[in-house]
Amino acid sequence: MILSSLCVAYAGLLALALAMDRHHEQVFARRPSARTSRLLVSAGWLGLALSLPPAVMAWGWAIGIPAWLGLLTVAAAALVLLLPHAPRAALRLGPAALLCAPFPALLG
């Protein structure tokens, strides 16, 4: 459950980062259209919202929310370290994280 929350949080933060002109241009060498930017912002916030339930299910409400904030910090740190130095790798890691997110929940 914890790894699921981390994976979805990373994908959500990546979508929010790609909604910004600077990061989108860094990865795709062009600015995003207004529609693309709105879709990425919506997907990013949805990803962050969907990353909360696995943390709450793993730890309960009292510990789950602070732990979720810590997982958001870990996901953001990974993105901050990857995006400037390996923007394509950061981009490829987003869908891979979403694909891997259900597996920890299925295993335990």
Side-chain angles (χ1 to χ4, degrees):
M1 292 295 201
I2 299 160
L3 190 58
S4 296
S5 183
L6 182 65
C7 289
V8 176
Y10 177 84
L13 288 172
L14 177 64
L16 287 173
L18 290 176
M20 298 172 60
D21 289 343
R22 176 182 180 182
H23 297 302
H24 196 277
E25 193 171 353
Q26 182 180 15
V27 173
F28 297 111
R30 61 180 163 75
R31 290 181 176 256
S33 66
R35 183 173 187 254
T36 301
S37 186
R38 281 193 308 272
L39 285 173
L40 284 169
V41 167
S42 298
W45 283 112
L46 179 64
L48 292 183
L50 290 176
S51 70
L52 177 61
V56 170
M57 288 172 55
W59 287 304
W61 284 102
I63 302 298
I65 292 177
W68 174 69
L69 293 172
L71 290 172
L72 287 180
T73 304
V74 170
L79 192 59
V80 163
L81 293 173
L82 265 176
L83 203 54
H85 302 293
R88 293 289 183 169
L91 178 66
R92 284 190 297 267
L93 191 57
L98 281 179
L99 287 175
C100 294
F103 293 117
L106 293 175
L107 296 175

